[in-house]
Amino acid sequence: TFERQGGVLAGDDQLLQYCRHVIGHPAQFVLHLLGEEPPAPAAEQDAWHSSELIQLANVTRDIEKDLERGIAYDPALRPYLGEKSAGVGRAEAIATIRRRLTGLALVRVAAFHRLFRGFARHRPSTRFAAVLMLLFTDRHYRAMARRVGLQPWPGPRSRTMVVIRALPALVVPAFAERIVARVAARSAVAAARLHPTGG
């Protein structure tokens, strides 16, 4: 698709499909390992949305780097393909897209929360891995919010603090649930500010 369209994805439908191809299918495999067979349709949908949340972190992080190598995840960035300069127009376009995609990602934290409640919280190692992944993903989006001019919400700032915050999830399921619920609630508020129409 990238090759056919000159290095650019045409819109959010293609972007989200890309996210599903990268992380969504592994997420579905994990869902099959952890739960009933076959998984309920609602759980499968939450797994797709969770994969989009995680892969959009990579997309929003690497916009400049991807443009330099001739890849853009939004048609508005087509004029800047292959550019390494940080001109005002390019910077403004990137900020606009980064802001929109951060909002698009944050509305998907609720799906991660539902998936966690249904599956991940029951096994200590899975519970810890899920909390750790969410906290690292949340840390990334707080940094993205700061870059697009939104006041970031509270959370651990360093990688070490993320790990320390997640460790009790290994032994205390209720603690893990509180962390995930808190991140989901704060993300919903931030998403409404960044992406009011949802997605």
Side-chain angles (χ1 to χ4, degrees):
T1 301
F2 277 112
E3 184 176 353
R4 186 174 66 249
Q5 296 175 175
V8 180
L9 295 183
D12 286 350
D13 287 344
Q14 287 189 355
L15 172 60
L16 296 176
Q17 188 64 34
Y18 162 78
C19 293
R20 293 183 176 200
H21 281 308
V22 175
I23 294 182
H25 293 291
Q28 292 293 335
F29 177 67
V30 170
L31 185 63
H32 281 262
L33 291 178
L34 293 178
E36 60 190 47
E37 190 68 39
E44 287 189 321
Q45 190 64 30
D46 283 340
W48 289 125
H49 286 163
S50 296
S51 71
E52 294 160 1
L53 165 71
I54 295 164
Q55 182 58 21
L56 283 169
N58 297 324
V59 170
T60 53
R61 180 192 63 205
D62 295 334
I63 292 176
E64 292 88 350
K65 191 182 301 183
D66 287 332
L67 281 176
E68 291 177 13
R69 65 188 185 96
I71 294 292
Y73 297 97
D74 189 286
L77 296 174
R78 185 185 295 276
Y80 309 104
L81 286 175
E83 285 192 7
K84 295 185 179 181
S85 61
V88 175
R90 177 178 181 266
E92 289 178 350
I94 289 172
T96 298
I97 300 305
R98 181 169 274 134
R99 182 183 181 92
R100 187 180 67 77
L101 295 184
T102 297
L104 185 66
L106 290 175
V107 299
R108 283 156 169 76
V109 178
F112 189 99
H113 187 196
R114 288 190 297 269
L115 207 59
F116 177 84
R117 286 201 312 259
F119 299 94
R121 67 178 181 174
H122 300 299
R123 304 179 187 185
S125 59
T126 308
R127 187 170 63 236
F128 173 69
V131 170
L132 194 64
M133 177 175 286
L134 182 60
L135 286 177
F136 272 117
T137 303
D138 178 65
R139 178 176 177 262
H140 166 80
Y141 285 119
R142 284 186 285 114
M144 292 298 101
R146 189 179 297 108
R147 290 183 70 171
V148 299
L150 181 70
Q151 181 67 30
W153 48 101
R157 294 191 176 187
S158 69
R159 293 183 177 188
T160 302
M161 288 306 301
V162 165
V163 175
I164 291 172
R165 182 72 59 86
L167 276 173
L170 273 169
V171 293
V172 186
F175 178 86
E177 167 62 24
R178 282 197 301 272
I179 288 180
V180 176
R182 187 181 303 126
V183 171
R186 289 170 175 169
S187 296
V189 172
R193 296 167 67 186
L194 284 164
H195 196 72
T197 60

